[in-house]
């Protein structure tokens, strides 16, 4: 649920950045900062979720495929 919320807020902020950035240049940096707050943790949340769901025997295989 946290991943869905973070991805949704990230998408909304990216859309706001796209729409508002064209007409109000001073809003680009604050909107980009808030967009980054929601975008950057998504990878870490996904890795934590995957690590919670896998078995001990498959840690190496799963970790090797998560770098992309």
């Amino acid at each position: 649920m946290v991943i869905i919320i973070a991805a949704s807020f990230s998408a909304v902020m990216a859309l706001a950045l796209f729409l508002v950035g064209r007409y109000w240049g001073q809003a680009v940096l604050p909107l980009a900062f808030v967009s980054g707050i929601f975008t950057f943790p998504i990878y870490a949340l996904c890795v934590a979720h995957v690590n919670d769901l896998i078995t001990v025997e498959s840690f190496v295989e799963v970790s090797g495929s998560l770098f992309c």
Side-chain angles (χ1 to χ4, degrees):
M1 191 65 173
V2 175
I3 296 171
I4 293 171
I5 292 169
S8 299
F9 279 133
S10 176
V12 168
M13 292 310 301
L15 181 64
L17 184 62
F18 175 72
L19 295 175
V20 174
R22 290 180 160 198
Y23 305 109
W24 190 28
Q26 294 175 341
V28 171
L29 286 178
L31 285 175
F33 178 75
V34 174
S35 177
I37 287 173
F38 293 112
T39 303
F40 289 133
I42 291 176
Y43 175 75
L45 289 169
C46 291
V47 169
H49 182 66
V50 166
N51 284 329
D52 286 342
L53 296 177
I54 61 174
T55 61
V56 175
E57 295 83 22
S58 61
F59 271 131
V60 175
E61 292 86 7
V62 172
S63 296
S65 65
L66 287 176
F67 71 92
C68 294

